[in-house]
């Protein structure tokens, strides 16, 4: 394709983690294992919740949404990472835009979903008498539709803004997948509007939702401290602390990537941070949200026993 006297880029090259064959093989094994665990763990969550009527509650409804988003995220990023470590690290222009779109969609939706999940826990612990009325089936579906819809709108807007840019070389993306900041660095067109919209979206989706989530958990902690039962306090703190750990890790890494000085640079630290929210967090979510949940483990045990018959 030609743009005036310049040639438009039709293929991008994704930067590898390393050129050492032994280290590449080790990373391939690591990412393959994480990919398998993420798909299996989130898939089991979805199957167990859908199969067990006892888990048809708002908390598990949102957990299924989180599991689906995590599977979309890992399935969007990791197959191409594995391909790059094994053989070919190139990606077509439209393949890059598709990866950028679906990753941005899952990322945006997950940031909003954490706030919805924190609100659900706030009502359950701090306003138990009003929980049934405020978190009915219609409210849950409406919240989920809002989460997915806003995420889709954000992804479509940011991807559309990238589509209007010209790319005439170089074509080496200084990252292991197509993410907005490093892709913008390769544009031959001005990216001021893209930069402003990207930062604005991140401030809203990451910054504001993080503050809302922290506010919800602050109220939860205050309510838990007033509990008379030591067992109840310990159980609530155990659940909330693990959830808050995941949320803090996810929000902080995303904020670092999209708002830090030197927007778009992708050194070793930046790649390590990206691995946290694209691979590690989706893999850990099933463990953190269900490992200490006796109700879920009982439902999962029944599902596994039923599937082996």
């Amino acid at each position: 394709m030609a743009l005036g006297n310049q040639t438009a880029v039709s293929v991008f090259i994704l930067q590898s983690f390393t050129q050492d064959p032994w280290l590449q093989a080790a990373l391939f094994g690591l990412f393959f294992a994480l990919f398998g665990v993420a798909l299996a763990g989130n898939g089991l969550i979805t199957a167990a919740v859908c199969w067990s009527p006892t888990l048809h509650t708002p908390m598990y409804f949102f957990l299924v949404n989180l599991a689906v988003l995590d599977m979309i995220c890992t399935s969007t990023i990791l197959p191409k990472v594995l391909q790059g470590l094994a053989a070919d690290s190139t990606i077509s222009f439209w393949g890059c835009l598709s990866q950028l779109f679906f990753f941005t969609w899952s990322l945006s939706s997950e940031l909003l979903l954490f706030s919805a999940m924190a609100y659900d826990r706030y009502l359950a612990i701090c306003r138990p008498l009003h929980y049934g009325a405020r978190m009915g089936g219609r409210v849950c579906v409406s919240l989920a539709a809002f989460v997915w819809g806003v995420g889709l709108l954000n992804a479509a807007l940011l991807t559309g803004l990238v589509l209007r840019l010209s790319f005439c070389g170089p074509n080496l993306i200084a990252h292991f997948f197509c993410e907005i900041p490093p892709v913008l660095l390769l544009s031959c067109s001005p990216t001021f509007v893209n930069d402003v919209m990207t930062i604005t979206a991140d401030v809203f989706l990451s910054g504001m939702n993080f503050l809302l989530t922290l506010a919800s958990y602050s109220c939860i902690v205050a309510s838990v401290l007033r509990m008379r039962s030591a067992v109840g306090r310990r159980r609530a703190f155990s659940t909330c602390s693990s959830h808050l750990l995941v949320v803090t890790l996810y929000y902080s890494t995303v904020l670092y990537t999209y708002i830090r000085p030197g927007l778009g640079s992708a050194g070793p630290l930046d790649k390590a941070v990206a691995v946290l929210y694209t691979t590690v967090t989706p893999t850990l979510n099933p463990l953190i949200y269900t490992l200490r949940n006796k109700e879920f483990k009982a439902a999962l045990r029944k599902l596994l026993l039923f599937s082996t018959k």
Side-chain angles (χ1 to χ4, degrees):
M1 292 185 295
L3 294 174
N5 295 326
Q6 298 174 319
T7 302
V9 170
S10 59
V11 175
F12 289 109
I13 301 173
L14 298 171
Q15 191 176 66
S16 177
F17 286 93
T18 177
Q19 298 300 320
D20 186 334
W22 291 101
L23 189 53
Q24 282 185 332
L27 288 173
F28 182 91
L30 175 62
F31 282 116
F32 185 82
L34 290 172
F35 188 31
V37 172
L39 289 183
N42 288 293
L44 283 174
I45 286 177
T46 304
V49 173
C50 293
W51 182 79
S52 177
T54 60
L55 300 183
H56 292 175
T57 63
M59 182 180 76
Y60 290 106
F61 172 76
F62 291 125
L63 191 57
V64 166
N65 279 268
L66 178 63
V68 173
L69 285 170
D70 282 338
M71 286 190 286
I72 292 175
C73 178
T74 53
S75 299
T76 299
I77 303 300
L78 289 184
K80 200 63 187 178
V81 172
L82 294 173
Q83 180 184 333
L85 289 170
D88 184 18
S89 60
T90 61
I91 185 171
S92 68
F93 176 82
W94 292 108
C96 183
L97 282 183
S98 298
Q99 189 181 64
L100 189 152
F101 171 79
F102 283 105
F103 169 71
T104 305
W105 187 10
S106 64
L107 176 68
S108 305
S109 299
E110 193 155 335
L111 291 170
L112 289 166
L113 184 61
F114 279 132
S115 293
M117 295 173 72
Y119 177 66
D120 171 68
R121 291 299 83 205
Y122 163 77
L123 288 178
I125 295 175
C126 302
R127 297 288 186 271
L129 297 179
H130 303 282
Y131 182 73
R134 295 188 181 181
M135 197 54 72
R138 185 174 297 179
V139 174
C140 290
V141 172
S142 298
L143 281 173
F146 175 79
V147 165
W148 286 86
V150 172
L152 176 62
L153 179 62
N154 180 63
L157 175 62
L158 296 182
T159 305
L161 288 173
V162 173
L163 186 59
R164 59 184 277 277
L165 300 176
S166 300
F167 295 90
C168 51
N171 66 340
L172 175 63
I173 297 177
H175 212 354
F176 61 89
F177 71 102
C178 289
E179 193 172 19
I180 290 175
V183 169
L184 292 183
L185 288 179
L186 302 182
S187 173
C188 301
S189 308
T191 61
F192 176 76
V193 175
N194 300 71
D195 293 334
V196 170
M197 292 302 299
T198 300
I199 294 175
T200 301
D202 197 52
V203 167
F204 171 73
L205 293 172
S206 295
M208 290 187 63
N209 280 286
F210 186 40
L211 292 176
L212 288 173
T213 303
L214 283 180
S216 296
Y217 278 108
S218 297
C219 295
I220 290 172
V221 170
S223 181
V224 169
L225 290 174
R226 291 194 294 268
M227 289 182 178
R228 296 182 179 181
S229 170
V231 175
R233 284 199 304 270
R234 188 161 52 250
R235 182 180 178 183
F237 270 127
S238 175
T239 302
C240 292
S241 61
S242 59
H243 293 188
L244 195 56
L245 175 63
V246 173
V247 169
T248 302
L249 176 65
Y250 202 75
Y251 280 120
S252 60
T253 51
V254 171
L255 281 168
Y256 168 83
T257 298
Y258 286 87
I259 300 185
R260 72 190 186 283
L263 181 69
S265 59
L269 177 60
D270 305 298
K271 291 179 181 177
V273 168
V275 167
L276 288 177
Y277 61 82
T278 59
T279 306
V280 176
T281 301
T283 304
L284 291 179
N285 277 344
L287 299 175
I288 291 175
Y289 281 95
T290 62
L291 192 60
R292 301 178 183 178
N293 192 312
K294 294 181 180 179
E295 190 179 37
F296 177 83
K297 287 191 287 186
L300 182 60
R301 195 177 299 112
K302 289 180 181 179
L303 174 65
L304 294 177
L305 289 173
F306 178 79
S307 62
T308 56
K309 291 182 180 180

